Amino acid sequence: MGPQGMKETTNMRHWLPKAGMAVLAASLLAGCGSGSGSEDAGSKPPSFKGRGPITLATGKDTTGVMDKVLDQWNSTHPKEKVRMIELSESADEQRQRMIQNAELKSGDFSVLNMDVVWNAEFAANRWIVPLPKGEIDTGSMLKPTVEAATYRGNLYSAPWTSDGGLLYFRKDLLEKAGAEPPKTWAEMKKTCDKVLKLPEAKGMSCYAGQFDKYEGLSVNFSEMIHGAGGSVVDKAGKPTVNTPEAKKGLKWFADAFKDGTIPKEAITYKEEEGRQAFQKGDLVFHRQWPYQWALANAKDGSSKVAGKFNVAPLPGLDGPGTSSLGGHNLAISSDAKNKATALDFIKFMTNKENQKKRLLLTSQAPTNAALYEDKELLKKFPYLPTLKASINGAEPRPRVVQYGDATAAMQEAAYGALSGKTSPDAALAQLQKKLAGVNSK
Amino acid sequence: MSTVAAPPPSPTRPSSGQQHDPASAAKKRKRDTTRLVAFLVSPTVAVLGLVVGYPIIAALRESLFSEKKGLDANGFVQQGEQFVGFEHYIDLLSGEAGERFWNAFWNTSFFTVTTVTMETVLGIAMALVMHKAVRGRGLVRASILVPWAIPTVVSALLWQWIFQANGVANAILGHKVLWTTEGFQAQLAVIVADVWKTAPFVGLLVLAGLQLIPTEVYEAARVDGAKAWQQFVRITLPLIRPVLLVAVLFRLLDALRMFDLPFVLIGAHKGSVETLSMLAYDEAANTRYGPAAAYAVILFLYVAAVAFVFVKLLGADVFSSDKAAAKKSKSRLKKPAATEVPA
């Protein structure tokens, strides 16, 4: 660790004048007012000057790994120490604290550890600053993670961890039934018909995801729409859920609820309820995040399916499906002091070594593409290639500024359709209207 | 509200200075006392003004403003807020916001009425049991208080386990009810969890009242041939009434502000259990502070109105039951009971 840290610092020294030039160039470009750039010409370009102590505002560190990483930085940067400010475990509360901090124009939080879906809102409200071009090594990162960190052409945060949905399936049962992991929803249903006839599969259900009315439903709903070839919003942020593709996607899942392909109680499933059902051996297929891999493989008796399952990319309507993108980004608060240090720190956190360490210690998926081929990692995380495919094909959830309203509207529509209270068509028509109104509020 | 003021100036105490005219001296003394009282309570008033008065006024002001939300050409949110008058309040009369608001309003009222009624009945029953328990009274009392001691969020999580699709509740019922889904079952789950948690609170306050009733009253009633039910209705209830009313008032005000139980147990954005506090929270979380403040102001007025009506009612009741009690048992039991309550 020592030599690497040294190298890091010397690199930083070289970097400082470069950064100054980059800022200068950026301000010149902005001054020229070439209409193509979406740089806000009216306001001063953020200056990445100033070195000294900074803070990292992050959700509660349940892994206990963060301290170690910060110690490493602090030992090599005695004059630019980073102090961790631990916020609540709940994402909503983290977001609120960060917004409060921004609205008070307080410099208390320098670097923000943000959920990937907050990027547009924080950028549009100028709560975070665009990162100077060419500083973050976006070329080495998976493309969708970079896209999700971008707002109107500018990179506002550095992709740090990522996440994608996987289709967990019961390898043992599929083999018995002589079936391959399905590529489409219809195939999945057909496979289920075969599997559920096996005596071992008595009392099992076919499929579940996250269908309770919370953020997880927005994730699953987006996957239903994208998996059928539709989209929730277009590139300009206009809603597009009133299309035949979107209708087909939602209808398939509403029907699956009706005919029992998805068990009735799945409407109450968040990640954990679904995981318990899968681990108890109640489900043949389960849409879930990578974190379930280690837990469902636990040999301590907590899981009845240890060693009996595998993962595949999510299925879609006519071909492979599309996952929603999860993960966290690091951004710099607009009112932060010592932005130069903050930028260095973000680069340090998102570099390949640290991402690898993080994956090994917390099994959080990296954004660095090369790590998905790392032999050492593959041994411990055999699902990495599937996850890479999932993230590479992933669509960010709608990048709208009023994301809170957008996700509430998506949950309302999906919940109504899946619980059979509204028809998918009516739910989507309503959603189209609501999403159109979201940004004009 | 009576405040504990400085003791009235005693006429026997000699006042400093010369006494020319007893009347004017008395007036001066009174003025001095008033000034002293004002001086002594001023820190309290200042603190109350800061922590109660200012937030209320700030919320009232905020509810008349609206954050700009539109995006400019570069995709940035326009800054600043604008004065919109009573627009947020008028919005509540119709449209989508109105529908959501009235739903939350009725939910809040429904939860308040149902939970407080059940808690009162159960609380009295618990108090009677605790009162009668001779052996292990301390243990019974402590164990009954456990639900009240658990933080609401934690008890909400506990009940979430119970009300899971494969949870204990369904195992006992032998029927799969999806408790946390939208509908009456979600409301029922909230009511059950809330009653479980706060009935002990009512029970404990009522127990304090029960312990102040002298046993002679019951002995006299028994001599007169009163049956158990008659004793309960004619003696116990009237005598615990002041305590009970305070307990119910506390519970009413608490229930009207209900937030964490439905939020954690059932979840946000679920219309069947959304209360006014949850609505205000949701608006604030989406940085629409104007409407959030308007909802909070309405909730505040609602709570204030209920408290006002209840205190008026309470005052009248204390008075009339006082007389009735004095007439019936020829003893003034009411007063000591009433003063014991806050302790």
Side-chain angles (χ1 to χ4, degrees):
Chain A
M1 242 172 253
Q4 276 163 12
M6 285 297 285
K7 215 169 107 199
E8 203 73 51
T9 21
T10 41
N11 278 343
M12 305 274 163
R13 293 281 134 73
H14 285 296
W15 171 83
L16 185 59
K18 267 196 242 161
M21 274 168 70
V23 172
L24 194 70
S27 59
L28 278 175
L29 274 175
C32 289
S34 59
S36 66
S38 41
E39 188 86 54
D40 186 18
S43 68
K44 262 193 322 190
S47 69
F48 282 86
K49 285 185 202 134
R51 298 192 160 271
I54 56 167
T55 59
L56 166 67
T58 176
K60 194 168 168 52
D61 183 28
T62 47
T63 56
V65 172
M66 201 69 111
D67 277 332
K68 276 184 221 156
V69 182
L70 293 191
D71 282 349
Q72 193 200 338
W73 164 274
N74 287 342
S75 63
T76 50
H77 298 77
K79 283 187 183 156
E80 301 172 61
K81 283 201 170 152
V82 179
R83 184 167 57 88
M84 173 164 65
I85 300 177
E86 266 188 299
L87 307 176
S88 156
E89 209 170 324
S90 135
D92 286 336
E93 276 167 45
Q94 294 163 21
R95 175 175 155 272
Q96 263 183 312
R97 283 289 303 277
M98 289 179 188
I99 293 178
Q100 270 169 19
N101 181 71
E103 299 214 320
L104 292 172
K105 304 235 172 288
S106 141
D108 287 354
F109 298 172
S110 319
V111 175
L112 305 178
N113 175 12
M114 306 193 310
D115 192 294
V116 72
V117 292
W118 304 341
N119 192 67
E121 182 183 23
F122 276 60
N125 279 292
R126 292 193 175 87
W127 293 330
I128 52 177
V129 290
L131 302 176
K133 291 214 161 64
E135 288 301 334
I136 306 295
D137 187 13
T138 49
S140 70
M141 293 173 178
L142 298 170
K143 227 177 126 211
T145 67
V146 178
E147 264 171 45
T150 306
Y151 180 70
R152 304 254 174 158
N154 287 325
L155 187 75
Y156 273 85
S157 51
W160 181 35
T161 64
S162 189
D163 226 344
L166 300 170
L167 183 73
Y168 285 74
F169 63 90
R170 288 290 298 277
K171 170 174 81 175
D172 55 335
L173 298 179
L174 258 64
E175 266 166 24
K176 263 220 178 100
E180 290 288 307
K183 295 239 167 16
T184 68
W185 297 327
E187 270 177 47
M188 180 166 81
K189 204 172 155 184
K190 236 183 255 165
T191 308
C192 273
D193 289 342
K194 269 193 245 166
V195 169
L196 291 178
K197 276 189 198 121
L198 297 169
E200 298 94 317
K202 207 173 156 238
M204 285 178 80
S205 296
C206 178
Y207 175 83
Q210 293 78 45
F211 302 126
D212 196 359
K213 204 175 186 183
Y214 78 118
E215 186 58 32
L217 182 55
S218 295
V219 168
N220 278 258
F221 171 75
S222 301
E223 287 169 358
M224 295 170 199
I225 304 302
H226 289 128
S231 61
V232 180
V233 292
D234 64 11
K235 285 246 150 50
K238 295 251 154 31
T240 50
V241 288
N242 218 355
T243 56
E245 290 86 7
K247 282 177 192 166
K248 267 188 232 162
L250 184 58
K251 191 169 179 302
W252 195 91
F253 284 86
D255 289 346
F257 256 102
K258 249 179 240 155
D259 66 21
T261 305
I262 301 174
K264 286 262 166 313
E265 64 218 57
I267 197 79
T268 66
Y269 283 2
K270 300 193 184 75
E271 277 89 355
E272 281 300 271
E273 287 87 352
R275 179 172 74 82
Q276 282 156 18
F278 186 75
Q279 287 186 182
K280 255 175 41 187
D282 288 347
L283 295 169
V284 182
F285 295 104
H286 188 209
R287 182 261 172 237
Q288 180 64 290
W289 305 102
Y291 88 97
Q292 180 169 280
W293 180 275
L295 293 167
N297 263 329
K299 298 255 164 23
D300 58 1
S302 60
S303 171
K304 287 186 189 158
V305 297
K308 292 181 183 167
F309 66 92
N310 204 347
V311 291
L314 293 179
L317 184 67
D318 305 313
T322 310
S323 169
S324 292
L325 191 71
H328 275 81
N329 297 349
L330 295 175
I332 301 177
S333 156
S334 295
D335 302 295
K337 292 184 192 84
N338 302 326
K339 287 201 176 78
T341 302
L343 187 61
D344 281 0
F345 176 65
I346 288 183
K347 285 160 79 174
F348 163 80
M349 291 292 273
T350 54
N351 73 20
K352 196 174 158 188
E353 261 109 316
N354 270 319
Q355 288 204 23
K356 179 170 174 178
K357 243 181 267 168
R358 191 158 189 85
L359 173 61
L360 283 169
L361 290 171
T362 69
S363 64
Q364 276 176 351
T367 54
N368 186 298
L371 290 178
Y372 288 84
E373 265 106 63
D374 189 303
K375 286 240 166 66
E376 187 195 341
L377 292 172
L378 277 172
K379 223 179 269 165
K380 196 169 172 205
F381 306 103
Y383 58 82
L384 281 179
T386 315
L387 179 59
K388 186 186 180 187
S390 169
I391 294 174
N392 259 335
E395 283 284 340
R397 275 160 278 169
R399 279 176 284 161
V400 295
V401 176
Q402 284 286 318
Y403 181 74
D405 291 327
T407 186
M410 285 193 285
Q411 291 166 32
E412 185 73 39
Y415 195 79
L418 296 182
S419 60
K421 293 233 164 68
T422 33
S423 75
D425 286 11
L428 289 173
Q430 181 94 25
L431 177 60
Q432 175 81 9
K433 222 167 57 189
K434 270 199 195 160
L435 285 179
V438 158
N439 269 342
S440 61
K441 261 183 201 162
Chain B
M1 292 265 181
S2 73
T3 39
V4 183
S10 111
T12 54
R13 199 193 298 157
S15 75
S16 61
Q18 302 240 294
Q19 278 188 314
H20 299 294
D21 169 19
S24 80
K27 221 183 256 174
K28 187 175 181 296
R29 260 207 312 273
K30 199 175 172 196
R31 215 174 37 234
D32 283 351
T33 316
T34 318
R35 231 177 259 165
L36 181 67
V37 168
F39 174 73
L40 287 176
V41 299
S42 59
T44 315
V45 172
V47 169
L48 282 182
L50 202 69
V51 301
V52 178
Y54 172 70
I56 292 175
I57 291 165
L60 277 170
R61 185 201 160 274
E62 188 68 51
S63 74
L64 305 178
F65 285 82
S66 186
E67 297 261 318
K68 282 190 185 155
K69 281 287 173 236
L71 299 181
D72 63 17
N74 292 318
F76 288 111
V77 173
Q78 284 161 347
Q79 306 282 313
E81 45 179 28
Q82 63 204 47
F83 182 75
V84 292
F86 288 96
E87 196 184 287
H88 297 316
Y89 295 97
I90 295 164
D91 280 350
L92 302 183
L93 297 175
S94 63
E96 212 176 306
E99 218 171 274
R100 204 171 161 205
F101 167 77
W102 286 111
N103 174 51
F105 186 86
W106 290 124
N107 280 345
T108 308
S109 310
F110 175 69
F111 283 142
T112 304
V113 171
T114 49
T115 59
V116 174
T117 310
M118 290 161 89
E119 281 154 22
T120 309
V121 173
L122 273 175
I124 294 174
M126 280 176 176
L128 289 173
V129 170
M130 286 191 281
H131 192 53
K132 283 273 140 55
V134 182
R135 224 177 293 168
R137 191 187 266 196
L139 193 74
V140 171
R141 233 175 283 171
S143 58
I144 266 183
L145 208 64
V146 166
W148 174 249
I150 296 175
T152 313
V153 174
V154 177
S155 64
L157 286 172
L158 288 175
W159 282 98
Q160 198 179 40
W161 273 85
I162 294 173
F163 284 125
Q164 264 189 13
N166 298 314
V168 180
N170 284 345
I172 291 171
L173 288 177
H175 183 71
K176 212 164 228 180
V177 181
L178 301 175
W179 295 96
T180 54
T181 54
E182 290 262 34
F184 179 66
Q185 67 277 14
Q187 297 181 328
L188 202 61
V190 170
I191 291 171
V192 168
D194 194 64
V195 169
W196 175 81
K197 182 178 162 51
T198 44
F201 169 77
V202 180
L204 212 76
L205 281 188
V206 171
L207 179 65
L210 281 177
Q211 284 171 339
L212 289 166
I213 305 176
T215 43
E216 299 92 69
V217 185
Y218 290 104
E219 279 163 20
R222 233 172 289 141
V223 171
D224 287 347
K227 297 199 178 73
W229 176 249
Q230 280 173 321
Q231 286 181 29
F232 176 70
V233 174
R234 299 278 176 89
I235 297 173
T236 311
L237 268 191
L239 290 186
I240 58 165
R241 202 168 187 173
V243 194
L244 190 60
L245 287 179
V246 170
V248 170
L249 178 67
F250 278 19
R251 280 305 310 140
L252 275 181
L253 304 190
D254 232 18
L256 285 170
R257 295 180 290 119
M258 190 190 281
F259 174 82
D260 27 12
L261 191 61
F263 190 84
V264 176
L265 176 58
I266 309 295
H269 299 139
K270 284 188 181 156
S272 34
V273 295
E274 190 166 62
T275 62
L276 281 175
S277 299
M278 288 165 79
L279 187 57
Y281 168 87
D282 191 49
E283 289 295 292
N286 285 310
T287 64
R288 278 192 297 275
Y289 302 118
Y295 294 137
V297 165
I298 291 174
L299 178 60
F300 168 72
L301 293 177
Y302 189 28
V303 171
V306 169
F308 180 76
V309 169
F310 205 80
V311 166
K312 278 275 153 194
L313 221 94
L314 177 95
D317 265 328
V318 165
F319 188 66
S320 66
S321 65
D322 206 12
K323 262 198 268 175
K327 238 187 259 164
K328 272 194 185 129
S329 63
K330 295 183 195 108
S331 67
R332 292 176 55 83
L333 297 155
K334 210 75 279 148
K335 279 282 142 65
T339 47
E340 285 296 321
V341 170

